[in-house]
Amino acid sequence: MRQKNFAVIRHSAPITILAIESSCDDTSAAVVRDGQVLSNCVANQEAHRQYGGVVPEVASRAHLANIVPVVDLALFQAGIDKKSITAVAFTRGPGLMGSLVVGTSFAKAFALSHGLPLIEVNHMQAHVLAHFTESPRPEFPFLCLTVSGGHTQIVRVVDYSDMEVIGETLDDAAGEAFDKAGKMMGLGYPAGPEIDRLARSGNPRFEFPEPAVPGLNFSFSGLKTSILYFLRDQTALKPGFVDENLADICASVQQSIVRILLKKLRKAAKQTGIWQIALAGGVSANSGLRTALGVLGEKEGWQTYIPAFDYCTDNAAMIGIAGYYKYLRGEFCGQDAAPYARGFTG
Ligand code: KG4
Ligand code: ZN
């Protein structure tokens, strides 16, 4: 059930969106007023570290414990009262089902009890729209390389709602490749930020083969296997190999992942003739990727955009921004909106 044209009711008052994000292991709430982020609070779930990855059941329980305090904090930091909220936006999918159910149910209950319209947001589209949290903002059309723990996509963005996935991973996501490689080296979860940190003092002197994937799609499973065999063989020759060469291995792994990503991005820019290029998703926090995009962009004559660090990883501000543009279009959903685990639209 879709409900349209709620927007006409309050068109002269400020549009104040309470946004909820709970798709994976971060519980986040934000307040966005007239397209400006007033607050953006994130509770990270430390509980997963001991398991070396996100445990869905643990994530859902932590969302339940976190959601009310995080929303209260977001309202407090924004300096607004519940009565001045105009609509509630929430991540409907994709993500972990149990986690999504917590945010969706909270959003529905909040909207129902305050008589507010509900806006469902697609998490991957919101990562793209994270570019509209601050200036400078990309001009349409632009290409967005969205790289997270669960997704790797090249998206052709025509406007706030018209987006097409023109390339994506056939197996692991880029963030997953970082996390799995880190696990093989004995690093904690999530390993991406740790590899990034260690790579800064390393020399990328180890070469891993590049995958031969046609078109604009990606594959990281071959890289994962070659890292596994490399570490196994080197450790058999010298047991302390990983510890003694950790920074160089991290720099080499990071360089390989960045190369795979930028090769396809360059191809996509050539194919589409679009030179406005953006990065989004948790892996866009990676300093090697950010620097390499800057260098490539300069060489290719691209205009490049990278969101501020807080808007790269999962956050509710991007959900609020996506919700704001849906509000302007009068796109609301009913209380029967159920979460979905997969998909790019919604
Ligand atoms: O977008 P995100 O916060 O959550 C998902 O929707 O998946 O992305 C999380 C992913 C994890 O795989 C994490 O290791 C990776 O982003 N990540 C990084 C960095 N910061 C986060 N990977 C490489 N370098 C980083 N600095
Ligand atoms: Zn994400």
Side-chain angles (χ1 to χ4, degrees):
M1 188 205 330
R2 238 170 231 274
Q3 298 176 2
K4 294 253 177 192
N5 301 328
F6 243 113
V8 290
I9 303 168
R10 297 182 187 229
H11 63 281
S12 57
I15 299 165
T16 308
I17 311 270
L18 171 66
I20 310 291
E21 154 63 33
S22 72
S23 63
C24 190
D25 60 340
D26 293 321
T27 319
S28 182
V31 177
V32 171
R33 175 167 283 171
D34 291 335
Q36 302 293 319
V37 180
L38 299 187
S39 65
N40 181 39
C41 301
V42 184
N44 301 116
Q45 299 181 2
E46 294 298 321
H48 304 281
R49 281 188 191 275
Q50 60 183 303
Y51 303 109
V54 176
V55 181
E57 178 68 22
V58 174
S60 318
R61 290 176 191 213
H63 282 306
L64 265 181
N66 291 339
I67 192 123
V68 171
V70 169
V71 169
D72 280 346
L73 187 64
L75 292 172
F76 175 77
Q77 287 189 354
I80 65 145
D81 183 76
K82 289 187 182 105
K83 290 193 186 71
S84 46
I85 295 170
T86 323
V88 184
F90 66 98
T91 306
R92 186 173 164 199
L96 300 173
M97 192 44 79
S99 295
L100 291 165
V101 164
V102 177
T104 303
S105 304
F106 178 91
K108 286 181 182 180
F110 192 99
L112 196 62
S113 60
H114 293 85
L116 298 170
L118 266 177
I119 304 169
E120 55 157 298
V121 172
N122 177 282
H123 181 85
M124 298 312 295
Q125 293 195 359
H127 267 304
V128 173
L129 295 179
H131 285 280
F132 296 86
T133 49
E134 287 179 332
S135 294
R137 298 161 180 218
E139 284 166 28
F140 298 117
F142 65 92
L143 292 181
C144 187
L145 174 66
T146 313
V147 271
S148 72
H151 295 83
T152 301
Q153 302 176 330
I154 300 177
V155 185
R156 195 172 65 89
V157 188
V158 178
D159 67 30
Y160 299 108
S161 61
D162 186 357
M163 302 183 198
E164 183 195 0
V165 178
I166 57 172
E168 63 190 325
T169 184
L170 303 175
D171 39 59
D172 290 349
E176 223 174 338
F178 272 107
D179 295 338
K180 287 181 177 172
K183 198 170 184 178
M184 291 177 215
M185 292 182 250
L187 302 178
Y189 176 85
E194 189 62 0
I195 292 180
D196 187 354
R197 193 183 64 78
L198 289 161
R200 280 176 214 165
S201 57
N203 172 10
R205 64 195 169 91
F206 305 116
E207 287 285 333
F208 299 108
E210 273 192 40
V213 184
L216 298 177
N217 289 332
F218 303 90
S219 169
F220 291 97
S221 64
L223 174 66
K224 181 180 67 184
T225 310
S226 59
I227 295 169
L228 180 72
Y229 289 161
F230 170 76
L231 296 178
R232 189 195 60 185
D233 296 348
Q234 295 298 322
T235 305
L237 293 172
K238 197 168 184 240
F241 176 80
V242 173
D243 286 346
E244 286 163 25
N245 296 280
L246 194 56
D248 289 356
I249 303 169
C250 286
S252 308
V253 167
Q254 179 168 295
Q255 178 172 279
S256 297
I257 296 173
V258 169
R259 262 194 201 149
I260 293 171
L261 292 171
L262 293 187
K263 189 174 170 188
K264 291 301 170 97
L265 190 56
R266 186 162 170 263
K267 193 168 181 181
K270 280 208 179 346
Q271 266 181 28
T272 58
I274 297 173
W275 311 117
Q276 296 264 324
I277 310 284
L279 269 189
V283 180
S284 60
N286 183 267
S287 54
L289 179 59
R290 293 166 90 99
T291 307
L293 179 74
V295 172
L296 181 63
E298 194 119 320
K299 193 169 140 224
E300 299 286 322
W302 296 346
Q303 188 82 35
T304 56
Y305 301 87
I306 307 174
F309 185 81
D310 285 351
Y311 302 131
C312 289
T313 47
D314 288 349
N315 67 89
M318 67 185 192
I319 306 300
I321 292 290
Y324 170 70
Y325 289 106
K326 279 195 143 187
Y327 187 100
L328 294 181
R329 295 195 301 275
E331 286 180 25
F332 301 97
C333 67
Q335 281 281 338
D336 58 345
Y340 53 86
R342 291 172 190 284
F344 185 72
T345 53

